[in-house]
Amino acid sequence: MRTIESTLAIRFAQGLVFSMTVAACGADASASTSGDEIFASGFQYRDFPAAPIVDPSAPANAATLFGAAGTPSGGPCLADPQTGTLFPNNWLRPRFAWVPTGGENLFEVRLTAQNQDDVLVVYTAATTWTMPADVWAGLSQHTVDLPITVAVRGATYSSGSGTLTSGPELGSSGTIRVAPVSAPGAIVYWTSPASGMVLRGFRIGDESLKDIVTPAGAGTLCVGCHTATPDGAYVGFAASSATGGALALLSADGNQLAPPFISASAHALMARQDQEAPAFSPLHWTTGDRIALTMYNSEIMWTDLEATSAAQGAGWGYLARAGDAGAAASASFAHTSDTVLYVSSSSVVQGVTVTSGVIETVPFNNGAGGTPTQVVATADNNYYPSFSPDDKYIAYNRVPGGMSSYNNAQAEVYVSPAAGGVPVRLAANDPSACTGAVSPGVTNSWPRWSPGAQDNGGRRYYWLTFSSTRSGGQRQIYVAPVVDNGVTLTTYPALYPWNQAASDDGHTPAWDNFSIP
């Protein structure tokens, strides 16, 4: 079988529209077919248009101009999506973005797949192109778990002469895939655009954004670290004033309504200052048992949101950590057990910032706590831990020991088995090479899992979100695919949700079943 590179060279040399022959891996046998999709060569689909797509920015005869063989290298570099990545099948339409070399001002994008009868060819003078909705709808359902080859060529076009003065030159080529599963839930992140601070969110697949919580709506100066309640109906966050932070809950639908179940005693307890990083448990979110965790005085504090008394031990209390003399940070609940995950450190600032983090678990034990168990303890500073939806893995950040966790450019995301084992560094830490950004150095921070993992073909598909400064120093939100085949944990390059506003300084994402309309 020819390699991708040699096949591309032959195609461009002959100036032909061709289809790649690539070995399939687990084709979706359940995909439906119709009569017009069956051809002599077997089951094929026509999701890719037969004729080239010529963007209005490109000359009408772009296909003819690019008919020449050109050169096999020196062309534009594909920055997004990164080759080798994996899309959930409900992702928003893929947007392709590339970095030109030299004076290139006209580009060709080709997508091929072995079960697509045609080749998708696009000509544009822009440096981005977004797949039409109808093409993505078909491709994401039909070309599942199969390699989709992407190749980008560039040339310099003279509008005066109507000819190419250089090129075409082949740049990036490689494959992407569509997973046989979707990514659930919605992502809500903190941002501070010119219009003012806001918690902003979107459901996976949405191309628009929804403002969820604003300081004005919350009656505070600043909205801080946030998460969803287990039913997705509310956002819990730290509402910071000039004197400190208080625990707040408002509806996740953007209407910023307070929950009706919070008692008068709980209101008073929630108003205490310097409460940070709230967390909730599905095991403690029914009528009569609604518990919130917050970081308070370097301890893990629980609060009964339906408390009939504001007394310690009745309406609130500290979680005992027998034998752990460190300060506590970044506590959160497991999903399937009554376990609390947290960071122990010699010092903690604002409930999350540490310099010598060790990741531990402790039983909730009806608010009494217990004896902690170390999960991740290395010479590095380990922090911002988060349980996977099945509690099998823990995602966390790591920087060299002695460094502060706060806004640290050296931060990278790792995943460790919750039962102990060798941590895995995510491929999503690494930006596309053509951007010039490298990790460590791009502040890959605050990893949070999607609210569910799905099984298919003997593999379990997980998704993680995190923030990164890889895009010109501006923090933005990214998604990391992670797949477990029962033996090996495979990670993939990051996905970029391009629905984010360019002005959004996105940070501290939360991924859960937020009830965003």
Side-chain angles (χ1 to χ4, degrees):
M1 187 188 301
R2 296 187 181 100
T3 64
I4 291 173
E5 290 78 8
S6 63
T7 305
L8 283 170
I10 291 171
R11 286 183 62 183
F12 289 125
Q14 295 176 339
L16 298 176
V17 174
F18 62 99
S19 67
M20 297 286 292
T21 303
V22 186
C25 176
D28 183 6
S30 65
S32 62
T33 59
S34 58
D36 64 350
E37 295 163 344
I38 302 176
F39 298 89
S41 59
F43 292 93
Q44 297 285 298
Y45 295 96
R46 286 179 167 170
D47 300 315
F48 289 163
I53 298 174
V54 182
D55 187 79
S57 64
N61 65 337
T64 301
L65 295 171
F66 272 79
T71 58
S73 63
C77 175
L78 185 66
D80 182 53
Q82 291 177 248
T83 55
T85 197
L86 180 72
F87 290 90
N89 63 21
N90 63 333
W91 195 248
L92 68 172
R93 298 177 296 148
R95 187 201 67 171
F96 297 82
W98 51 90
V99 178
T101 59
E104 293 171 321
N105 59 4
L106 187 60
F107 307 95
E108 175 193 77
V109 181
R110 285 177 178 260
L111 275 71
T112 64
Q114 66 182 65
N115 72 341
Q116 291 291 336
D117 191 56
D118 298 301
V119 177
L120 175 59
V121 185
V122 179
Y123 296 100
T124 179
T127 55
T128 63
W129 176 77
T130 304
M131 185 177 288
D134 60 335
V135 176
W136 175 236
L139 184 69
S140 62
Q141 297 304 309
H142 300 148
T143 306
V144 174
D145 215 4
L146 293 170
I148 303 167
T149 301
V150 183
V152 185
R153 290 199 295 170
T156 304
Y157 173 70
S158 170
S159 57
S161 64
T163 61
L164 299 184
T165 58
S166 70
E169 300 161 336
L170 177 61
S172 294
S173 64
T175 61
I176 56 178
R177 286 178 181 259
V178 178
V181 300
S182 60
I187 294 174
V188 173
Y189 60 97
W190 181 97
T191 183
S192 185
S195 57
M197 185 188 306
V198 64
L199 294 183
R200 181 168 283 169
F202 59 93
R203 296 171 301 179
I204 303 303
D206 284 353
E207 296 185 11
S208 59
L209 301 169
K210 176 79 172 180
D211 286 352
I212 307 301
V213 175
T214 64
T220 187
L221 294 177
C222 177
V223 293
C225 302
H226 62 282
T227 190
T229 56
D231 56 7
Y234 299 95
V235 180
F237 58 96
S240 300
S241 65
T243 56
L247 171 61
L249 275 79
L250 292 175
S251 61
D253 58 7
N255 292 322
Q256 305 185 87
L257 302 175
F261 51 77
I262 296 177
S263 66
S265 294
H267 272 293
L269 294 173
M270 291 169 64
R272 290 172 295 180
Q273 299 300 296
D274 299 321
Q275 297 189 69
E276 305 290 344
F280 308 93
S281 168
L283 301 182
H284 298 284
W285 201 254
T286 57
T287 301
D289 182 22
R290 288 191 173 95
I291 299 296
L293 290 185
T294 51
M295 306 313 306
Y296 187 70
N297 293 331
S298 296
E299 295 288 351
I300 304 171
M301 184 173 71
W302 60 266
T303 299
D304 181 355
L305 299 179
E306 298 172 289
T308 57
S309 167
Q312 183 173 357
W316 70 281
Y318 293 117
L319 213 60
R321 298 176 287 118
D324 180 9
S330 301
S332 62
F333 279 107
H335 303 87
T336 62
S337 70
D338 215 17
T339 302
V340 174
L341 180 68
Y342 74 100
V343 175
S344 177
S345 178
S346 57
S347 65
V348 174
V349 178
Q350 291 187 314
V352 294
T353 300
V354 300
T355 55
S356 56
V358 174
I359 297 174
E360 308 202 5
T361 61
V362 65
F364 181 69
N365 193 20
N366 200 32
T371 301
T373 300
Q374 287 190 353
V375 180
V376 179
T378 69
D380 297 300
N381 182 14
N382 309 286
Y383 57 99
Y384 296 163
S386 173
F387 269 125
S388 63
D390 56 5
D391 299 325
K392 184 177 180 180
Y393 294 103
I394 294 170
Y396 65 98
N397 269 130
R398 175 192 290 185
V399 295
M403 285 189 173
S404 172
S405 61
Y406 182 75
N407 196 29
N408 194 319
Q410 301 301 303
E412 292 197 312
V413 180
Y414 283 76
V415 168
S416 176
V422 179
V424 175
R425 178 186 179 275
L426 296 191
N429 284 301
D430 297 316
S432 177
C434 58
T435 64
V438 295
S439 184
V442 291
T443 322
N444 295 313
S445 183
W446 205 271
R448 292 294 182 265
W449 300 88
S450 65
Q454 295 188 48
D455 296 325
N456 186 283
R459 291 166 291 178
R460 175 160 289 189
Y461 291 80
Y462 300 90
W463 313 93
L464 276 166
T465 185
F466 64 100
S467 69
S468 178
T469 60
R470 65 189 64 191
S471 180
Q474 179 87 321
R475 289 180 297 189
Q476 294 266 275
I477 304 304
Y478 294 83
V479 167
V482 178
V483 179
D484 183 1
N485 68 2
V487 178
T488 303
L489 201 66
T490 302
T491 71
Y492 297 82
L495 297 168
Y496 174 68
W498 54 262
N499 53 0
Q500 297 169 82
S503 61
D504 274 11
D505 183 26
H507 194 35
T508 60
W511 194 345
D512 220 314
N513 291 310
F514 290 100
S515 300
I516 299 177

